[in-house]
Amino acid sequence: MYSKELISVVAAFGLVSGAAALSCKDDPVEINSQADATQAANCDTITHDLVLGTQAGPDINLGGDLTEIKGSLIVKNNGLLQSLSSSSLQTVGGAFQLNNVTSLTSLVFPELGEVGSIDWTTLSSLQEPTFGTPGITKAESVIVADTFVSNLDGINVQDVTDMNINNNRRLSKFSTSIKTLSNALYVTANALNMTMEMPNLEWIANMTIANVSTFSVPSLKYVNGSMRFDSNYFTEFYAANLTEIHDGDLSFVSNPQLTNISIPQLERVGGGVTIANNTELTKIDGLGSLSRVGGAIKMRGSFDEIDLPELNDVVGTAEFVSTEDITESCDKLNELSGNVVQGKVTECKGLVATANNDTSSAGDGSSGSGSGSNDDSAASLASASMSTVFTLAALGGLVATFL
Ligand SMILES: *[C@@H]1O[C@H](CO)[C@@H](O)[C@H](O)[C@H]1NC(C)=O
Ligand SMILES: *[C@@H]1O[C@H](CO)[C@@H](O)[C@H](O)[C@H]1NC(C)=O
Ligand SMILES: *[C@@H]1O[C@H](CO)[C@@H](O)[C@H](O)[C@H]1NC(C)=O
Ligand SMILES: *[C@@H]1O[C@H](CO)[C@@H](O)[C@H](O)[C@H]1NC(C)=O
Ligand SMILES: *[C@@H]1O[C@H](CO)[C@@H](O)[C@H](O)[C@H]1NC(C)=O
Ligand SMILES: *[C@@H]1O[C@H](CO)[C@@H](O)[C@H](O)[C@H]1NC(C)=O
Ligand SMILES: *[C@@H]1O[C@H](CO)[C@@H](O)[C@H](O)[C@H]1NC(C)=O
Ligand SMILES: *[C@@H]1O[C@H](CO)[C@@H](O)[C@H](O)[C@H]1NC(C)=O
Ligand SMILES: *[C@@H]1O[C@H](CO)[C@@H](O)[C@H](O)[C@H]1NC(C)=O
């Protein structure tokens, strides 16, 4: 093993082929070959960013003395890199950014535990990143978009601001240990029958979930913003402990196999409630505690019964339309018009063949009363090409702007 000094001296005199002298304090440390990587790996700490050039590869090993990169670890637009590893790296202060690294098949970081953020997009060959146990336990935000990954087991974060998992066509299981999420979770267009489990999730600011086959949030108590489920394939939705959706909307649109929505302890929704075009949902009987709604209510579908026994205050309008006969439910619901439902029950009608055609969210549309619900509606989300929008948003880091 050469000493660090010797390597720097040798490198400085150009005796190591292709390698220029590289200092641990370079801003950034730039790697264009394994020789550069070997020098960088001799640093205990890299003070600024470490950037791999577009021609670095095919195999880059950053294992050695290197335990910390204070800045970001960045690889962008590199079509040559096939493997990237470090047996020693523990911390990346900034982003662990891999964007458009299309030949990368092997990513091995057994000691990596903390990163500022994970930003992985367009990694079309990456199947299974390898981390240690417990893997990455700290990251402020996580974006994994347009990859070939089949599992994300090495990402074991608990508290994050944002998580965006989209267009990972082989990702059929996403089980995450997160407990809190303070801005937005997006999950869409992954493997067609993706199982999603968030056993420890207690509160979340906003979530938008699409194209998921099973979904579980047994510990969820509180949603600060909105919760939206579009085009999923789960048959049941059950959130046993959820009591409040504070500022935003609750929305279930076009979930073709959904037979049961059960949120028995939900008392308040700050925005609107939309349940539309879930054609197998024959009864709305799982919102037994719902008492206050800050926006409008819109329920359209193929149900024959709507039970909202505790409903006590709806600020906006309410609309109930079904392909089936709902006369009995309407008798009760119409009584709420003007008193409980401040914006009036604008429509309560059964045997309407087109009941499932209108999927715009409560609060917008002609019958809406300018309720408190947000206008970044389920309808506009559903009509945009989700995959394109999310991939672009993820690539540009524009997730928050898009919202
Ligand atoms: C992705 O990287 C390749 C090089 O591997 C480059 O030719 C291409 O332009 C990059 N794509 C984008 C969208 O930047
Ligand atoms: C969300 O609500 C929880 C529980 O009330 C609270 O602890 C948390 O600070 C809130 N988070 C945000 C981002 O508002
Ligand atoms: C769906 O998931 C099950 C396991 O949950 C698996 O056996 C099946 O092959 C998957 N189907 C598709 C089309 O991916
Ligand atoms: C649901 O809430 C109850 C009462 O707060 C608690 O005892 C129970 O553990 C919670 N269930 C889960 C799965 O967190
Ligand atoms: C998430 O919800 C909060 C309310 O807790 C809201 O202020 C914020 O703008 C929302 N963020 C996104 C990205 O929707
Ligand atoms: C996935 O969800 C999006 C958004 O709701 C929807 O437009 C799209 O059709 C869904 N794709 C599949 C295959 O279900
Ligand atoms: C939905 O599930 C809940 C709880 O499991 C149950 O009480 C309710 O009867 C179910 N509703 C329908 C329509 O199956
Ligand atoms: C409503 O949907 C049905 C069946 O999907 C379709 O045949 C009909 O043309 C639609 N009607 C309108 C007014 O969009
Ligand atoms: C209703 O849901 C079905 C199945 O998911 C979907 O094909 C259809 O386009 C949806 N209708 C509307 C108006 O969104």
Side-chain angles (χ1 to χ4, degrees):
M1 194 67 192
Y2 300 110
S3 74
K4 289 180 213 179
E5 290 74 19
L6 180 59
I7 287 188
S8 315
V9 168
V10 168
F13 284 93
L15 297 175
V16 173
S17 69
L22 176 158
S23 151
C24 306
K25 296 197 164 122
D26 284 354
D27 184 10
V29 167
E30 199 177 323
I31 307 260
N32 290 301
S33 63
Q34 178 54 41
D36 292 346
T38 304
Q39 285 186 62
N42 277 308
C43 301
D44 297 315
T45 299
I46 285 176
T47 317
H48 302 283
D49 295 346
L50 185 148
V51 178
L52 261 68
T54 54
Q55 300 302 312
D59 304 304
I60 296 291
N61 181 351
L62 292 164
D65 297 322
L66 182 63
T67 56
E68 180 177 10
I69 296 171
K70 287 192 188 286
S72 296
L73 168 53
I74 301 173
V75 191
K76 279 185 184 169
N77 301 328
N78 180 321
L80 297 175
L81 189 65
Q82 292 175 12
S83 79
L84 178 62
S85 63
S86 174
S87 55
S88 55
L89 187 64
Q90 296 171 6
T91 307
V92 175
F96 184 175
Q97 188 175 15
L98 303 171
N99 298 161
N100 186 23
V101 188
T102 48
S103 300
L104 187 68
T105 52
S106 166
L107 190 67
V108 181
F109 285 82
E111 294 297 318
L112 191 59
E114 295 189 14
V115 303
S117 63
I118 290 174
D119 176 1
W120 297 350
T121 57
T122 315
L123 307 177
S124 9
S125 306
L126 184 63
Q127 289 197 34
E128 203 149 341
T130 305
F131 297 105
T133 307
I136 297 178
T137 54
K138 231 171 156 182
E140 191 152 303
S141 72
V142 176
I143 296 172
V144 179
D146 193 13
T147 75
F148 203 53
V149 296
S150 54
N151 83 67
L152 291 172
D153 294 349
I155 301 179
N156 283 308
V157 293
Q158 300 223 318
D159 305 295
V160 289
T161 57
D162 288 276
M163 193 175 269
N164 188 335
I165 309 293
N166 76 78
N167 287 282
N168 303 293
R169 303 285 175 178
R170 282 170 45 102
L171 187 62
S172 58
K173 180 159 187 196
F174 181 50
S175 179
T176 167
S177 52
I178 56 170
K179 278 172 89 167
T180 73
L181 193 146
S182 60
N183 192 45
L185 169 69
Y186 273 103
V187 175
T188 187
N190 296 296
L192 263 185
N193 63 350
M194 187 170 88
T195 297
M196 184 168 172
E197 293 167 352
M198 298 193 281
N200 304 328
L201 185 66
E202 287 172 11
W203 62 258
I204 186 164
N206 307 282
M207 65 174 135
T208 300
I209 309 291
N211 317 119
V212 161
S213 287
T214 66
F215 183 82
S216 114
V217 281
S219 312
L220 183 63
K221 290 185 178 62
Y222 197 88
V223 175
N224 313 69
S226 292
M227 185 160 100
R228 297 198 167 94
F229 299 89
D230 298 338
S231 301
N232 292 286
Y233 298 96
F234 41 68
T235 54
E236 290 181 5
F237 180 88
Y238 188 42
N241 271 2
L242 179 58
T243 55
E244 179 161 345
I245 296 173
H246 189 68
D247 293 329
D249 303 334
L250 170 65
S251 169
F252 290 91
V253 173
S254 300
N255 301 285
Q257 297 173 28
L258 185 59
T259 59
N260 193 335
I261 297 173
S262 182
I263 318 179
Q265 300 202 50
L266 181 66
E267 287 174 18
R268 180 176 177 275
V269 176
V273 175
T274 305
I275 297 180
N277 191 31
N278 306 291
T279 48
E280 293 297 313
L281 186 67
T282 57
K283 290 191 190 339
I284 296 180
D285 63 353
L287 299 173
S289 305
L290 185 61
S291 153
R292 290 184 293 154
V293 175
I297 294 181
K298 175 165 176 169
M299 296 183 178
R300 301 181 66 103
S302 299
F303 35 76
D304 54 27
E305 189 181 320
I306 305 159
D307 296 320
L308 297 168
E310 293 296 320
L311 201 60
N312 187 40
D313 183 18
V314 178
V315 175
T317 54
E319 170 188 335
F320 308 93
V321 180
S322 179
T323 56
E324 308 307 303
D325 185 357
I326 50 170
T327 315
E328 256 178 66
S329 298
C330 286
D331 288 347
K332 289 186 212 148
L333 292 164
N334 279 323
E335 280 174 23
L336 308 177
S337 192
N339 46 62
V340 164
V341 181
Q342 298 178 39
K344 299 212 165 63
V345 174
T346 53
E347 194 176 6
C348 194
K349 206 168 170 190
L351 302 173
V352 176
T354 58
N356 286 302
N357 291 40
D358 177 356
T359 53
S360 62
S361 73
D364 56 14
S366 53
S367 65
S369 70
S371 68
S373 70
N374 297 333
D375 260 355
D376 54 342
S377 63
S380 52
L381 278 174
S383 59
S385 160
M386 296 268 288
S387 53
T388 313
V389 170
F390 287 134
T391 304
L392 291 175
L395 280 168
L398 295 174
V399 174
T401 319
F402 167 70
L403 289 165

